[in-house]
Amino acid sequence: NKLPKTKLGDLYQHLTGRDILPYMFGINENKIFISYRVYMNDIYSDYKDAIKQKMLNVMKIADELDHFFHDTFGCEYSFESKNE
């Protein structure tokens, strides 16, 4: 989603106060994003199935959050957002 024109302080408090480990929030060019970082070597380790599941989950969480940010903070959907 794009950053809102109002309620920006409330949004920043939410982004910095919410624990969504192992995922992280970020802001780049006026857009909010969620990410999951992994070491490349871990993809080939015994943890590969857990990592795969976390990568799939980040897409589901991002879909839920874009609706939440829109409804709660008035964030416009970005081009990358699924706004259905």
Side-chain angles (χ1 to χ4, degrees):
N1 293 67
K2 297 179 181 179
L3 290 175
K5 297 184 181 8
T6 61
K7 300 183 184 180
L8 192 56
D10 293 337
L11 173 66
Y12 284 152
Q13 278 188 313
H14 180 79
L15 293 177
T16 59
R18 184 168 179 197
D19 187 14
I20 58 165
L21 292 175
Y23 310 106
M24 294 180 282
F25 285 120
I27 296 173
N28 185 36
E29 295 185 9
N30 204 32
K31 294 180 184 175
I32 305 162
F33 66 89
I34 185 172
S35 64
Y36 172 62
R37 299 185 72 166
V38 63
Y39 291 106
M40 291 300 292
N41 289 343
D42 288 347
I43 293 174
Y44 305 104
S45 73
D46 293 339
Y47 302 108
K48 64 184 172 193
D49 291 332
I51 291 169
K52 180 180 174 181
Q53 190 58 50
K54 288 175 185 172
M55 292 178 86
L56 293 171
N57 285 345
V58 75
M59 291 181 272
K60 178 183 172 201
I61 293 168
D63 186 43
E64 293 169 0
L65 286 172
D66 63 6
H67 297 296
F68 172 78
F69 290 143
H70 179 266
D71 296 342
T72 305
F73 301 107
C75 299
E76 293 179 33
Y77 291 109
S78 65
F79 174 77
E80 299 85 2
S81 295
K82 181 179 169 185
N83 59 4
E84 306 171 345

